[in-house]
Amino acid sequence: MKNEKYINSIHRWGRWGSFGAIAFMVGIPIVACLIFDCFPSMKLVLQSGSGLLAMFIPIAISEVISYAPVLGSSAYITFITGNVMNLKLPVAINAIELAEVEQSTDAGDAITTVAISASSILTMAIIALGVILLVPLQPVLTLPAVKTATTYMLPALFGGLILGIFSGAAGKYVIKGKLLAVIPAVIIVAIMLALGVPLSTYQGFAIVGMIPVTILAAWIMYKKGIIKVEERAIKKS
């Protein structure tokens, strides 16, 4: 990034926003416990939370490492508002493709920031509207047809994201054979599953472990000429 003042302001406000979000998330339960005098014992907290922490801390670390190059400056608002994989990441990738800009560039950073900011504002507006209309719309929301339709929402989102990956992002360069880099990670995971390793319990650690495996595989395949970076042919109007 060339605009150092802009980047410094993004980091400053992003850090304050992150601290504020953590304060609200932790503060609301503490205030509720103070009001109702219902503080749980530390032993109970550790027993209940240790399993969740073991799963979600590695997932959170892997998401930051994996998604930051795509999200850029919008990483702060993305991780504060959540819904990364099923909403914010598809929004960022789709915005980059529609604008025909490169990731990790000034233009790409600006596009993803605007897109994810708009997505976050729209999400909060829809949630607020849903809270207001929850009771009036309850007869409609409980219809069998609506329940059936909602089961296809996540598959539709992930399907759109996968189609974008296979079609290739817009930009100056095309990476051919990039999906081959995931083959070693898939083989390792398949072997671990065959050996009876409970990856569903330790999926966060598995994701963190497979990131360097995939990066190393991509680097080796690039050096061997299996994965190639080519300049996209520019269509003349």
Side-chain angles (χ1 to χ4, degrees):
M1 291 296 164
K2 298 177 181 178
N3 194 335
E4 186 176 351
K5 183 179 179 180
Y6 167 76
I7 292 301
N8 290 336
S9 67
I10 286 290
H11 286 298
R12 182 173 63 254
W13 286 108
R15 288 164 184 162
W16 278 112
S18 299
F19 290 140
I22 293 172
F24 272 102
M25 293 176 191
V26 177
I28 292 174
I30 291 176
V31 171
C33 290
L34 285 171
I35 293 173
F36 296 102
D37 192 21
C38 58
F39 272 101
S41 64
M42 186 57 64
K43 181 180 179 181
L44 180 62
V45 172
L46 291 175
Q47 287 177 345
S48 304
S50 57
L52 294 173
L53 291 174
M55 179 185 297
F56 286 108
I57 287 178
I59 290 177
I61 294 172
S62 65
E63 285 184 347
V64 172
I65 297 172
S66 303
Y67 302 155
V70 180
L71 298 172
S73 299
S74 61
Y76 289 106
I77 191 172
T78 298
F79 293 120
I80 289 172
T81 55
N83 287 333
V84 182
M85 189 62 184
N86 62 346
L87 182 60
K88 300 299 169 40
L89 189 63
V91 165
I93 293 175
N94 192 48
I96 288 173
E97 291 181 356
L98 290 175
E100 297 185 354
V101 296
E102 297 286 340
Q103 297 177 9
S104 303
T105 62
D106 290 347
D109 188 83
I111 290 295
T112 54
T113 300
V114 172
I116 290 180
S117 299
S119 172
S120 300
I121 294 171
L122 181 61
T123 300
M124 288 186 287
I126 292 174
I127 291 173
L129 187 63
V131 171
I132 296 171
L133 299 178
L134 185 61
V135 174
L137 291 179
Q138 190 172 6
V140 178
L141 297 175
T142 54
L143 290 174
V146 176
K147 290 183 178 180
T148 302
T150 55
T151 59
Y152 293 96
M153 291 179 64
L154 281 180
L157 287 169
F158 283 111
L161 181 60
I162 291 173
L163 285 175
I165 293 173
F166 280 102
S167 64
K172 186 177 180 181
Y173 297 98
V174 179
I175 303 175
K176 294 188 175 181
K178 60 183 177 181
L179 295 179
L180 296 175
V182 306
I183 292 177
V186 172
I187 293 174
I188 292 173
V189 170
I191 292 173
M192 294 175 70
L193 290 172
L195 294 174
V197 179
L199 290 182
S200 59
T201 306
Y202 303 102
Q203 59 178 318
F205 294 98
I207 294 172
V208 174
M210 291 305 105
I211 289 175
V213 171
T214 304
I215 293 174
L216 179 61
W219 181 78
I220 293 174
M221 291 181 182
Y222 174 74
K223 290 295 183 181
K224 295 291 184 180
I226 300 172
I227 295 177
K228 299 179 181 180
V229 180
E230 298 179 357
E231 190 168 353
R232 188 185 298 274
I234 301 175
K235 295 181 181 180
K236 295 182 179 180
S237 56

